[in-house]
Amino acid sequence: EDKVVQSPLSLVVHEGDTVTLNCSYEVTNFRSLLWYKQEKKAPTFLFMLTSSGIEKKSGRLSSILDKKELFSILNITATQTGDSAIYLCAVGISNFGNEKLTFGTGTRLTIIP
Amino acid sequence: ETGVTQSPTHLIKTRGQQVTLRCSSQSGHNTVSWYQQALGQGPQFIFQYYREEENGRGNFPPRFSGLQFPNYSSELNVNALELDDSALYLCASSFGQYSTGELFFGEGSRLTVL
């Protein structure tokens, strides 16, 4: 069975701190790994990773994928209160033409001012 | 460019009833996927529609069914509602048959089953 595990489940830090969120996976027919931010309802796209070792950056956020060890990390530097959200990791799986994203349970990040 | 819109935003049903949720995909997108997100969990894949045909299904019973229309909007129907069906139902749209790239999500429909 395809599995995506995120850690920690919950994290509380002070504004300005740097955080690292983890995502490990065991799936067949891997195609992609995606990170989403969910503040209220609609998850919003952050990154999509398909190749090992290539860091993707967007402002204070960055992410990297290790396809040998089957994990990805999401880094947020100089955290702000607006970073408080649930961060979801999803793995794209292709199975005989059927495509889907399998999500982890998410990491709830709380930034204290 | 309009984003993904879903309706209704909230609804309350009782066990055994039926519900229909609606989704309008983002302009230019022809693929719609539906996900169920229970409280404290990540979204779970229900099914996907590409050009009006079901193109993949997750581990959900047949009482979960769907449709995609020629304008690529979509419906999710759930029959014989159970208490465990209470969840946020998310619709996501994308372009092309392969939905393992970036998906654009709507705000969701929150269903409560009493």
Side-chain angles (χ1 to χ4, degrees), chain A residues 12-33:
Chain A
V12 180
V13 300
H14 288 95
E15 202 168 18
D17 287 351
T18 293
V19 298
T20 299
L21 309 183
N22 304 294
C23 176
S24 63
Y25 61 92
E26 288 180 40
V27 303
T28 52
N29 302 314
F30 172 95
R31 283 179 65 91
S32 57
L33 187 142

Side-chain angles (χ1 to χ4, degrees), chain B residues 26-40:
Chain B
Q26 181 163 313
S27 177
H29 287 178
N30 55 11
T31 300
V32 171
S33 305
W34 286 92
Y35 286 80
Q36 180 197 65
Q37 187 175 22
L39 203 60

Side-chain angles (χ1 to χ4, degrees), chain A residues 31-32 36 38 41-42 99, chain B residues 37 55 98 100 103 106-107:
Chain A
R31 283 179 65 91
S32 57
Y36 282 86
Q38 187 174 30
K41 288 185 178 179
E99 307 257 328
Chain B
Q37 187 175 22
N55 187 40
Y98 301 107
T100 49
L103 300 185
E107 292 287 325

Side-chain angles (χ1 to χ4, degrees), chain B:
Chain B
E1 177 177 284
T2 56
V4 179
T5 58
Q6 293 186 240
S7 63
T9 53
H10 295 84
L11 69 167
I12 300 173
K13 293 283 187 178
T14 56
R15 276 173 51 187
Q17 285 189 310
Q18 179 264 344
V19 68
T20 297
L21 308 179
R22 295 178 176 84
C23 171
S24 292
S25 58
Q26 181 163 313
S27 177
H29 287 178
N30 55 11
T31 300
V32 171
S33 305
W34 286 92
Y35 286 80
Q36 180 197 65
Q37 187 175 22
L39 203 60
Q41 300 296 315
Q44 278 199 295
F45 176 71
I46 303 175
F47 43 56
Q48 174 189 307
Y49 281 84
Y50 170 67
R51 291 187 173 179
E52 303 177 58
E53 296 212 355
E54 189 178 288
N55 187 40
R57 189 178 182 92
N59 294 327
F60 281 81
R63 60 190 184 83
F64 285 78
S65 63
L67 281 174
Q68 186 178 33
F69 300 100
N71 66 355
Y72 304 126
S73 66
S74 178
E75 284 182 357
L76 164 65
N77 298 291
V78 187
N79 294 322
L81 283 167
E82 300 177 0
L83 297 179
D84 284 350
D85 296 332
S86 294
L88 180 67
Y89 288 85
L90 293 164
C91 169
S93 75
S94 56
F95 179 77
Q97 187 176 0
Y98 301 107
S99 63
T100 49
E102 180 182 355
L103 300 185
F104 294 81
F105 283 89
E107 292 287 325
S109 295
R110 185 167 296 283
L111 171 65
T112 302
V113 182
L114 302 176

Side-chain angles (χ1 to χ4, degrees), chain A residues 76-113:
Chain A
I76 309 176
T77 59
T79 52
Q80 302 171 356
T81 54
D83 296 327
S84 294
I86 295 172
Y87 289 83
L88 294 166
C89 171
V91 175
I93 298 160
S94 175
N95 189 16
F96 299 104
N98 291 331
E99 307 257 328
K100 66 174 184 178
L101 294 184
T102 296
F103 283 83
T105 52
T107 293
R108 181 180 292 275
L109 177 63
T110 304
I111 309 297
I112 301 171

